[in-house]
Amino acid sequence: MWNVTHGAPTPTITLTHTPTIFCSIGFTVAATKLPLRRGKWKPTQIIAVSSASLTQSNTFHSVSLSNLGPSEEHRQLLPHISEEDFVVVNFYHFVFIEDPQAEVSKHLYFMRDLDIHGRIYLNEQGINAQYSGPSKHALAYANWLREDPRFLDILVQVSPAINDHAFPKLKLRYKPSLVQMEGDFSHVSLLDSSKRAVPLTPSEWRKRLETLNGKRDTKYILLDIRNGYEWDIGHFQGAQRPTVDSFRCTSFGLSQTEDAASDPLANVDKEKTEVLMYCTGGIRCDVYSTILRERGFQNLYTLKGGVSNYLKDEGSKQWVGNLFVFDSRLSLPPSAYNPEAESCSTPQFSENNAFARCYICSSQVSQLRHRNCANLDCNLLFLCCKECVGELRGCCCSECTSSPRLRPVLAGPQRYQKWHIYRDFKQEQPT
């Protein structure tokens, strides 16, 4: 039974068949039962229906927590994905939030009945979110957020999930730093866009790289602001591998010593050298470029929306390999972001995987995807060829094969689960 409220009094409608609803104006619907995936029902969900016809069984095409119409942008983002299919959503936005703890509570209340897992962090300077869920739930949250004028212009990026959720649970909380970095950078203000690098659209970025790669005498640096292991499976042509395995340890342009061997920004002309920075979704570059601006670097440029946004618009042009993602999928090919652009574009590099090497034997790997060491107490994320996987039983070295907490060798794109799943597992010894 659904209670439909449009002022007072409140009429009651008893549904005995799959309904067809036509609305001439927007109105609020309070639903005690809402159809979810796999035929399950979930109680107590407040939704609103825009002024449109709803005729498909068990489906609301324009569900949002307002009387606004559906987002045309999201129709373009998900042309081949149904409301029940799982997706991964990423976005961030710098904006002043006076009371972030109250903001967290408001978001948690809205999401109380949504099937969403992921990491959503808020503080006084904005929000950083990566989460998964059925598309109707995932986009309902993004739509709701964009109804707030403070978050109206956020860039929401959506990609398909592989199997159900890409994250184990939901973590929505206050976090002092939206991006984790070593050192005291709490004084850095992210709210002034003029202090950040100049954002380049994907097409502008591609044209800039094409021009720079054709003029080797141009003073520019292509800086990969990611973890070293991310570079190992994919990067822009001409980008050097980061000298650190973790972004939080990055110190490009910040070192007091003139060590050009480990710092590509050491000894450069801060006023004339063009620094082009990129990362997965854009937030790390925005944060780090603000720090570099304080250190005197003038010509800073970033890729708007990061590599994921670039692959969606430009395909694999100037890009080699896959893109590392921080969820259970670990690695995505360019075609995951734009199948049409990828299928109609000419492959850029025949030796696309030549840079990717096995951590153990240094041979070329065929699968651009990391795995965790089978030794739970090591858990190193590394690239490995099939031969070494078999020989070392999924471990990163011979020492790890004798670990008392050894997990089974994983086949395919799976991820290890919690230790109790494997506690009583008896590892078969090779014959």
Side-chain angles (χ1 to χ4, degrees):
M1 179 176 292
W2 294 1
N3 294 326
V4 180
T5 304
H6 188 194
T10 301
T12 299
I13 302 175
T14 303
L15 300 181
T16 58
H17 302 286
T18 300
T20 298
I21 304 175
F22 295 93
C23 315
S24 58
I25 59 174
F27 59 89
T28 301
V29 178
T32 58
K33 287 187 176 181
L34 182 69
L36 296 179
R37 59 189 177 89
R38 301 188 182 95
K40 296 181 180 179
W41 292 82
K42 197 168 186 178
T44 317
Q45 173 72 2
I46 307 300
I47 62 176
V49 184
S50 64
S51 55
S53 62
L54 307 175
T55 58
Q56 184 174 342
S57 174
N58 288 341
T59 302
F60 288 97
H61 284 290
S62 46
V63 173
S64 172
L65 291 199
S66 75
N67 59 355
L68 301 177
S71 169
E72 197 62 34
E73 177 183 357
H74 290 152
R75 288 181 183 272
Q76 297 175 9
L77 286 170
L78 301 169
H80 306 298
I81 296 180
S82 74
E83 292 183 330
E84 307 298 334
D85 290 333
F86 277 72
V87 297
V88 177
V89 177
N90 299 269
F91 60 80
Y92 70 95
H93 190 61
F94 300 122
V95 65
F96 175 66
I97 299 178
E98 183 176 5
D99 189 345
Q101 295 288 6
E103 190 75 21
V104 167
S105 298
K106 184 172 72 171
H107 287 229
L108 285 171
Y109 181 78
F110 173 81
M111 298 174 67
R112 68 194 183 282
D113 293 319
L114 297 183
D115 185 12
I116 288 178
H117 291 184
R119 300 181 291 261
I120 303 174
Y121 302 131
L122 295 105
N123 67 16
E124 292 81 359
Q125 300 197 79
I127 184 172
N128 186 17
Q130 303 89 38
Y131 61 89
S132 63
S135 65
K136 63 180 178 181
H137 289 191
L139 296 183
Y141 173 59
N143 274 329
W144 171 78
L145 187 64
R146 296 176 77 171
E147 290 166 11
D148 186 326
R150 296 173 299 172
F151 303 102
L152 180 63
D153 58 347
I154 59 175
L155 174 63
V156 178
Q157 301 191 59
V158 183
S159 57
I162 296 177
N163 295 310
D164 214 295
H165 278 293
F167 300 90
K169 60 182 180 179
L170 174 64
K171 293 195 296 184
L172 198 168
R173 61 182 176 86
Y174 173 86
K175 192 172 184 181
S177 299
L178 295 179
V179 174
Q180 196 68 29
M181 290 189 64
E182 291 185 351
D184 183 14
F185 296 104
S186 58
H187 67 284
V188 176
S189 175
L190 304 174
L191 301 179
D192 188 350
S193 60
S194 66
K195 294 183 178 180
R196 301 195 291 267
V198 177
L200 300 178
T201 65
S203 62
E204 292 172 336
W205 178 271
R206 173 181 56 79
K207 293 175 182 177
R208 185 68 64 94
L209 289 188
E210 291 173 348
T211 300
L212 295 176
N213 286 333
K215 297 179 179 179
R216 292 298 179 183
D217 58 338
T218 302
K219 292 184 178 180
Y220 84 98
I221 293 175
L222 181 57
L223 204 58
D224 190 320
I225 306 294
R226 299 183 299 163
N227 304 319
Y229 58 79
E230 294 181 76
W231 186 97
D232 289 342
I233 66 166
H235 50 266
F236 280 106
Q237 184 187 24
Q240 300 180 40
R241 188 185 190 278
T243 56
V244 294
D245 280 333
S246 176
F247 167 75
R248 69 176 60 189
C249 302
T250 299
S251 60
F252 301 141
L254 309 182
S255 176
Q256 299 298 320
T257 62
E258 302 299 319
D259 187 2
S262 61
D263 187 352
L265 296 184
N267 300 316
V268 304
D269 188 326
K270 295 182 179 181
E271 295 185 357
K272 296 182 179 180
T273 303
E274 292 187 5
V275 180
L276 279 71
M277 311 165 61
Y278 72 90
C279 57
T280 304
I283 188 170
R284 284 180 281 183
C285 286
D286 276 345
V287 172
Y288 203 76
S289 66
T290 303
I291 298 172
L292 290 180
R293 187 78 76 185
E294 287 189 346
R295 303 302 172 93
F297 289 87
Q298 300 298 313
N299 297 311
L300 300 173
Y301 302 90
T302 59
L303 173 56
K304 183 178 181 180
V307 182
S308 55
N309 192 41
Y310 178 91
L311 295 178
K312 177 179 69 71
D313 287 358
E314 298 295 328
S316 60
K317 302 180 184 72
Q318 299 295 320
W319 176 265
V320 292
N322 287 358
L323 177 63
F324 185 97
V325 289
F326 291 91
D327 54 60
S328 65
R329 301 170 300 173
L330 278 181
S331 173
L332 291 177
S335 58
Y337 292 92
N338 192 335
E340 295 179 0
E342 186 68 15
S343 62
C344 66
S345 63
T346 303
Q348 296 290 305
F349 310 99
S350 58
E351 69 281 7
N352 205 30
N353 297 1
F355 64 90
R357 298 289 169 174
C358 175
Y359 174 83
I360 299 169
C361 69
S362 297
S363 64
Q364 183 177 339
V365 298
S366 58
Q367 187 180 39
L368 295 177
R369 190 178 191 278
H370 293 80
R371 64 168 52 241
N372 286 99
C373 178
N375 174 11
L376 178 64
D377 299 309
C378 172
N379 208 42
L380 177 70
L381 196 66
F382 68 106
L383 281 176
C384 195
C385 65
K386 293 182 179 179
E387 290 73 17
C388 289
V389 170
E391 183 177 346
L392 296 181
R393 290 180 288 163
C395 294
C396 67
C397 63
S398 57
E399 181 179 350
C400 282
T401 60
S402 58
S403 167
R405 297 206 297 172
L406 195 63
R407 299 172 292 196
V409 179
L410 287 180
Q414 302 171 345
R415 291 295 303 276
Y416 282 117
Q417 303 179 58
K418 293 185 180 298
W419 169 241
H420 71 84
I421 301 295
Y422 309 106
R423 184 180 294 118
D424 300 324
F425 176 83
K426 301 299 182 181
Q427 178 73 52
E428 294 183 4
Q429 298 297 323
T431 56

